[in-house]
Each structure stands twice: as C-alpha cells, then as structure tokens.
Amino acid sequence: MSQENPSLVRFRFQRMLEMLERKEGRGTELITVYIPPGKQVSEVMNDLRNEWGTAGNIKSKTTRKNVQDALTKAMEQLKLYTRIPPTGLVIFAGTIASQQQGVGEMETYVLIPPEPIGIYYYRCEHRFMLDPLFELLRTEDSYGIVVLDSKAATFALLKGKRADIVKDISSGVAGKTRAGGQSARRYERLRQMHLNEFFTRVGNYMTDIFKDVPNLKGIIVGGPGPTKEDFLKGNYFHHEIKEKILTTVDTGYTGHEGVKEVVERSQDFLKNVRFYEERKIVQDFLYNVGQETGLATYGEREVIQALRSNNVRQLLISEGVRRTMVRLQCRDCGAKDTRIVDRDELVGFEESVADLSCLKCGNGNYEVVETEDLIEALVKLAESTDAKVEIISGETEEGEMLNRSFGGLAAILKYRQFG
Ligand SMILES: [Zn+2]
C-alpha cells in the first residue's frame, strides 16, 4: 500500500532528478534523449547514429570523444528495448566531471517517467536537461472533468496539465424553441423528460469512468450556462461520486474546447487542494503539540525512537529535509554507530570520520559502512510498521513551520508516551 503513496512516489522521483541535476560535464558533453511512447526504436537509433556522425565535427578532441562515447552508451541502453514503454523513455549519458581534476567517469541513467511525456528531442549540453521531468512533478494527482450543456457532455481525466478525453455523448434533447404547431406546455414537459434522462446517463457515465481511477482527488464540472448547476442540484449520481465533486467552472464552450478551458481555469484551485490536505495534516500535529495530548513528537532521535517502537500513526516529513544517515562501524571492536549529517556536509564528515572515537572501545578507528538518505531510511522504518507517511511541501505556512520549528520531522503517535 505504501508503495503507491503518491507523496512518496513523487518524493523519490524528485530526489532522482536532484541527483541528476548536480551532475556536470567539463565541456558541452552531457547528452539527454527524450523519447515519447509510440516512437519506433529503430527510428531513434537512426537519429542517434546521425548525431554520432555530426559530433565528429566537434573541435575539441576530448569533448568529441566524450560526446561520441555518450551516444554509444545511449544506443547500448536503447538496444535493450524492443519498444518504448507506455510513458516514454529518457536517457542521460555523459562523462561527469570529478571534483579532483581527474578525467571524470562515464555515467548512464535510464528513466521511465511516471506520466507520459509527449516530447522527442536530443540535447547535448553542459548538464542534463531535466525541465520536462520537473514539470511532471508539479502535480500527479488525478482529477475527473465533466463538461456539459443540454446538448452534449464530455468526460476527461486530468493529470498534471494533461487532460485525456475519455468519452463524448450527445443528449438528443431538443432546443428551447419549439417547432410550430406543438403545444408549448407539452413541448416543455417532453424536453424536461429528455433532459432528465440525459442527466441520468451523465451520472452513470461518471460512476463508470471515475469510480476506479486510482488517486482520484476530485471531479470538476464545467460548461456554459446554468445546465451544469441544474445537473448538480438533481441527484443524478452515486454518493461516492457526489463526495468527489470539488467545484464548477464556467466555460464558453462544451466538448474538447470546454475541457481545455476547465484545465486552464482550475490550475490554481487544484494546487490548493493538495495544500489543503497538507495543512490539515500539519494542523493535526500542531493541535496535539499545543494540547499536550502526548500524541505528538518531533526531532530526529524522537521520531526514529517512536518508529522503532511501532508507535507512529502518521509520519510527517518536510520536503526540505536534506540529510543523510551514516552508519559507522568500529574496525577494532565491531561496535556500530549512526550519525545524521546535512547532505552538504557529507563529504567533509566522511573525511573526518577518523577523528571520531568509538562509543564502546574509545579508539579512533571508525569506518563508514553505509550512507542513506535520511528520508528513505525513515520511510523504510515506517513501511516495516503500518505508519502512514506524508511528505509535506514548504508551500504552505504550516509546511514551512514544520520545517523551521520542528526540524522537518514529526510524528503523530498511536499511544501516549510515558516518561
Ligand atoms: Zn570500538
């Protein structure tokens, strides 16, 4: 279950991008290849071979060699695929400049994006090109969209800024003006009846289409004029669907054009939906701290302790936490020790490990056995219990407070702690 926790998937993807973002080439020699789903592997292979040829014109001998080597590596990776995965493929390759003025080492990364990418391009730059992937991070939750008037309805699924049309239906309901000869009252009654049938169909489609979508955060109903409000006032849908309806959006059009309008006009609103959730979680924690219920704790040691004793109901981690857990072992007596260091200070810490003295025998002979991102370590601990994990952004006041005043780490507990 925790495997699918969207805030966690998002976090891991983000860390991966941050790791790639720090890579630099000495020259313009790091290559990035974005391949959209449906692209023929052989076609991409051809294009890369052409780039390899073009790279032969690069003046600097080292850069030329490095670019061509990177392209060769990319082609080797691509060869492993008979077809491009359903969300596309991104390949990074290049000689990463090392801190010591050495030759640097060739590194290759292959990434399958969590959402489909629609672009096809090749870049050779000083760094890897990550913007389209960072863009995917903005929002990953799904939303349903229905756009309707009395003539037609369109159903779509929104992920990030991308809306996929799922279905179009038309109502068969006649216009408001009747043809000559009919009684006005009878005409209106028939029209209402047809409209009622149409609304029932729309409601049923909403259930069919949206009920089983994973991580569906809500549904937005759009359309020109008051038809959508009439539709919402009547009880045309399943109660689970009703609970998901977030808001309505006025549009000038129906159909695909109308869906596009809804997407454009609801971006700010949607951002706030996630922020609202984050706020609620942090407020829950703050309430427990303020009321001294004994059901809240914070700080690295305290949170780890609570996780180890299987007493965490909800783990809160600030996105801004950039720390590393370093596991040490004494070469002389075998004693183990753990330290938590800022990511930026990790290199310095590793160099100074010899200055630490062993907690057990007192000798200065520690070695680093393992380093792990602190958040990953905590998430693993949480997964081994049934603690829920939420990664909290710094984009709300509460999220910022969690980071600033509580060290970015907090937990809501299952049981009161004593002592
Ligand atoms: Zn020792």
Side-chain angles (χ1 to χ4, degrees), residues 7-23 109 111 130 133-134 137 317-325 341 343 372-379 391-392 403 408-409:
S7 79
L8 210 58
V9 171
R10 184 175 179 282
F11 157 77
R12 288 190 169 138
F13 186 62
Q14 175 166 356
R15 280 295 149 97
M16 172 84 181
L17 298 187
E18 286 176 2
M19 182 273 287
L20 290 169
E21 200 179 26
R22 291 196 295 272
K23 308 277 180 194
Y109 301 89
L111 215 143
L130 298 158
L133 293 174
F134 273 114
L137 266 180
I317 308 174
S318 285
E319 207 172 63
V321 172
R322 298 277 186 280
R323 292 169 77 71
T324 305
M325 195 181 236
V341 245
R343 193 169 72 187
E372 187 175 20
D373 187 289
L374 176 65
I375 298 185
E376 284 293 339
L378 291 174
V379 164
I391 313 285
I392 310 284
N403 202 15
L409 274 184

Side-chain angles (χ1 to χ4, degrees), residues 25-212:
R26 264 204 303 185
T28 307
E29 57 186 60
L30 301 194
I31 68 159
T32 306
V33 191
Y34 280 78
I35 311 165
K39 196 85 187 164
Q40 292 296 316
V41 173
S42 58
E43 197 188 333
V44 184
M45 206 58 115
N46 248 330
D47 289 340
L48 291 178
R49 230 173 271 130
N50 285 337
E51 291 295 344
W52 194 94
T54 310
N57 300 326
I58 297 171
K59 280 195 192 114
S60 149
K61 200 181 150 196
T62 331
T63 308
R64 178 170 67 232
K65 183 183 179 311
N66 286 346
V67 172
Q68 289 188 326
D69 284 355
L71 279 159
T72 304
K73 284 283 176 198
M75 287 187 271
E76 279 172 21
Q77 289 297 325
L78 188 59
K79 245 182 249 165
L80 303 175
Y81 292 83
T82 49
R83 52 187 301 258
I84 303 302
T87 55
L89 198 67
V90 190
I91 304 174
F92 303 97
T95 303
I96 308 302
S98 63
Q99 270 147 339
Q100 302 82 21
Q101 285 296 316
V103 275
E105 268 189 58
M106 170 69 66
E107 294 182 17
T108 317
Y109 301 89
V110 179
L111 215 143
I112 296 174
E115 302 288 333
I117 46 159
I119 43 170
Y120 179 50
Y121 74 52
Y122 164 78
R123 286 280 187 288
C124 180
E125 314 244 339
H126 190 60
R127 292 165 176 271
F128 294 131
M129 260 300 298
L130 298 158
D131 294 352
L133 293 174
F134 273 114
E135 188 56 41
L136 282 186
L137 266 180
R138 310 273 181 254
T139 45
E140 277 180 356
D141 297 329
S142 304
Y143 295 90
I145 295 176
V146 185
V147 176
L148 81 160
D149 65 4
S150 61
K151 293 205 165 54
T154 299
F155 305 84
L157 268 176
L158 174 68
K159 275 187 163 198
K161 282 181 182 160
R162 194 187 135 103
D164 289 321
I165 307 290
V166 183
K167 196 165 188 67
D168 291 297
I169 61 172
S170 56
S171 71
V173 176
K176 276 199 167 163
T177 41
R178 67 194 164 103
Q182 272 176 305
S183 125
R185 209 177 296 160
R186 178 177 147 73
Y187 182 84
E188 186 47 36
R189 201 170 55 232
L190 271 173
R191 190 177 176 276
Q192 274 307 323
M193 202 180 80
H194 287 146
L195 203 54
N196 195 45
E197 279 165 17
F198 172 58
F199 284 168
T200 307
R201 268 166 67 214
V202 174
N204 289 341
Y205 274 121
M206 283 171 78
T207 309
D208 287 352
I209 293 169
F210 299 133
K211 199 176 49 135
D212 299 320

Side-chain angles (χ1 to χ4, degrees), residues 322-347:
R322 298 277 186 280
R323 292 169 77 71
T324 305
M325 195 181 236
V326 187
R327 297 201 172 83
L328 302 165
Q329 189 161 22
C330 174
R331 284 197 190 91
D332 294 339
C333 74
K336 287 177 180 166
D337 198 355
T338 304
R339 300 294 163 96
I340 295 165
V341 245
D342 279 347
R343 193 169 72 187
D344 296 339
E345 291 161 12
L346 183 61
V347 176

Side-chain angles (χ1 to χ4, degrees), residues 329-335 357-366:
Q329 189 161 22
C330 174
R331 284 197 190 91
D332 294 339
C333 74
S357 40
C358 172
L359 284 179
K360 201 171 162 197
C361 71
N363 295 347
N365 208 0
Y366 269 151

